[in-house]
Each structure stands twice: as C-alpha cells, then as structure tokens.
Amino acid sequence: MRKASSAMRESLDASASTLCNCWRLARKDGQVMGFTDHDRDLVFGGVTYRAATGLVATQIEGSVGLASGGGEVIGALQSDGLVESDLATGRYDGAGVEIWLVDWSNVENRLLIDATTIGEVTRSEFAFRAELRSLAHFFDETRGDSYQKGCSADLGDARCKVDLSASSYHTTGVVLAATQGAIVAALAEAFDDEFFTGGSLTVTSGAEAGAGGAIKSHRRFGETARLALWSQLADGMVAGDSFTLVAGCDKSAASCRSKFSNIVNFRGFPHMPGNDLVISYPSSLAPTMDGGSFFR
C-alpha cells in the first residue's frame, strides 16, 4: 500500500467526502475490468471503472506478519463485464484485485489500499459472492514434492512428460442428449470405461463454447458414452454441441504403467508403508514382520 499523499490526506479530513472505492480486476486470461461504487463511471490508468454494478465490499481484515487476511465482494449479476457463465467456469478464480480509494472529483488523487486475489466464488440466482484473499495466502500453499503413494505430477506436465497431443489420449465428440450434470455423446473413437475419468472436457461449439470442466465419470454404452462433470456449466450443453476430451489419470502406478506406458516418470512412492504397518508390531505369525525383506 502506498503512503497517502497530502492531497489524499486533505480529502480524508474534508467535512464533505468526495471519496469512493474502485476495484481493478485482472483475470488470468489477460482481461482487465474495473468497477466502482460511485454513481458514474471513472477512468484512470487506462481502465474504465463502471458504476451501477451492484458491488459491495466487506471490511478487509489484515494483521502484522505473514497471517493471511481477506474479505469479500458481493455483487449483483447485472454488469456488462460480469457474465454468469464466466463465474461458473472458474474464469475469475485466482484473478488479481487492486482496491483503490479514489477522489471522484479528481481521479489523479487516489490511493492503492490493498492488492488481493479472488478465492472461492459462489453464486445464487441473481448475485455472486467472491472471497478476497491477501497475497500472504501464497505462503500457505504447498511447495515442492510430497512423499505419497500417488504421483505428484500433473498429467502432461514437464515432470510427467506424457504427450497429450497424441491421438490415443484425446478425442472429439458430439452431444446426443443432456441431463442435469451429465451428457450422452457420440465420440469419434471408442474408449474403455473410465478412460476419461479425471480428465477434462472443453466445449467447442454452442452457447458454452470455450467453457470446460473436469470429468467426474466416463461410462461406455455400446457406440455412445455417458460423461458426468464435477460442476455443471452455467447454460448447460444441448444436443448438437461439440467438444474435445483429454484423458484422465488416477495418479496410481498401475495406471502409469498400463495406460500411459510412463512408469519411468512416475513421481510417487507406491511401496511406501501405510498406517497399518506403522502401528503394527513384531509377531511370529506375521511373515512381513520377521526382520526379513519387505518384498519377497
């Protein structure tokens, strides 16, 4: 946060306030939007801060040190910049938010109050609620590798090295019928049950073009497939919509070996002892606890 200028201090001390709040929102896809609680649009820094957006910010909590503070922004879905489908598909997740205190009579007189990121976003029929997290929350994120049985890499990343552009790991499809949370589709190629479970779906045509989500389950029914998503798309998919699918991975050594032929790059510890072994004790009746090799 910048130190308040003399002009800002005068505005704060004035008997009649000319101050308002402005929010500059920068999504990860590069789109930048501005919102204000003033009664008319304001422009500064190359961004237009739109009024009448129905945004209300709660008090931002903070503390000395590395503790993560935060707050909330509550708003109505009535701004040209806020599209319900974008909220539903997570395009605002992790977006950066700058909070400004601005003198609306002279926008050059302004003060950056805080810089935060958007966390969880929840929606109701006509409004949304976005969690604001202080930058200190990055210190709470896990860094480095984890000692675990499952693979710690993401499918297709630099550590996994699986080439997802290969035809054996992706396909296209067309929706035949849609129900709440699931679709029945015709795929360009036939794949076994669960092949795309844990993978991703991206819509390529229709009202939801460009949106996507994680696949909860994949079942094969003759020449068709049934796909369920973890989160429902805002407008839903309808018959005739096309999409692409990318294979999923359950992070197990067995799948890495048989499904992707990639066990040499497996980033887990499949032979790590479990809790049952940790709490066990030596016994002549337990062959694996006689002091010999684990793997005989």
Side-chain angles (χ1 to χ4, degrees):
M1 183 176 70
R2 299 186 305 178
K3 183 178 180 180
S5 64
S6 58
M8 177 56 70
R9 287 195 294 269
E10 291 177 2
S11 297
L12 290 168
D13 294 335
S15 57
S17 176
T18 57
L19 300 176
C20 65
N21 295 303
C22 291
W23 298 272
R24 180 185 185 274
L25 188 150
R27 297 191 333 197
K28 289 185 175 181
D29 60 6
Q31 184 171 350
V32 177
M33 291 169 283
F35 308 96
T36 180
D37 56 8
H38 188 44
D39 59 2
R40 61 182 175 85
D41 294 352
L42 300 175
V43 180
F44 60 85
V47 178
T48 299
Y49 293 80
R50 300 191 179 280
T53 56
L55 286 177
V56 177
T58 64
Q59 182 177 357
I60 303 296
E61 298 179 356
S63 59
V64 177
L66 299 179
S68 178
E72 286 183 333
V73 168
I74 304 169
L77 293 169
Q78 63 184 50
S79 168
D80 292 339
L82 291 170
V83 181
E84 184 178 8
S85 60
D86 289 345
L87 290 168
T89 53
R91 291 177 181 172
Y92 288 91
D93 294 350
V97 178
E98 292 180 357
I99 304 172
W100 291 85
L101 184 64
V102 181
D103 183 346
W104 51 261
S105 64
N106 176 19
V107 294
E108 296 304 315
N109 182 21
R110 59 182 184 269
L111 177 66
L112 179 62
I113 299 297
D114 204 355
T116 64
T117 59
I118 290 182
E120 182 182 9
V121 178
T122 57
R123 298 175 299 123
S124 60
E125 186 176 0
F126 301 110
F128 73 94
R129 182 186 301 268
E131 176 191 17
L132 297 181
R133 298 173 179 172
S134 71
L135 298 183
H137 86 275
F138 288 113
F139 290 104
D140 294 332
E141 295 183 356
T142 302
R143 303 295 185 189
D145 296 336
S146 299
Y147 187 62
Q148 59 188 30
K149 284 191 174 184
C151 183
S152 61
D154 291 327
L155 182 63
D157 69 9
R159 298 171 64 231
C160 170
K161 301 182 181 180
V162 168
D163 182 11
L164 293 179
S165 65
S167 59
S168 54
Y169 300 135
H170 70 88
T171 191
T172 59
V174 177
V175 177
L176 299 178
T179 59
Q180 186 172 8
I183 59 173
V184 176
L187 304 184
E189 301 173 68
F191 290 85
D192 294 336
D193 275 358
E194 306 295 346
F195 188 86
F196 292 104
T197 298
S200 61
L201 178 150
T202 302
V203 186
T204 54
S205 71
E208 290 286 356
I215 300 173
K216 181 179 181 180
S217 66
H218 163 220
R219 296 285 189 275
R220 180 179 175 182
F221 294 96
E223 299 299 319
T224 65
R226 184 181 187 276
L227 301 164
L229 302 181
W230 281 107
S231 58
Q232 184 178 1
L233 301 181
D235 294 328
M237 299 177 68
V238 298
D241 288 354
S242 59
F243 57 86
T244 60
L245 296 176
V246 176
C249 179
D250 62 5
K251 307 287 187 177
S252 69
S255 292
C256 191
R257 179 185 298 108
S258 61
K259 185 174 181 178
F260 300 102
S261 301
N262 193 46
I263 193 64
V264 68
N265 292 313
F266 185 71
R267 304 297 177 176
F269 302 86
H271 303 304
M272 182 176 70
N275 292 336
D276 55 341
L277 186 63
V278 172
I279 63 176
S280 62
Y281 53 88
S283 171
S284 60
L285 301 179
T288 59
M289 295 295 292
D290 63 359
S293 172
F294 252 160
F295 312 107
R296 290 179 295 179

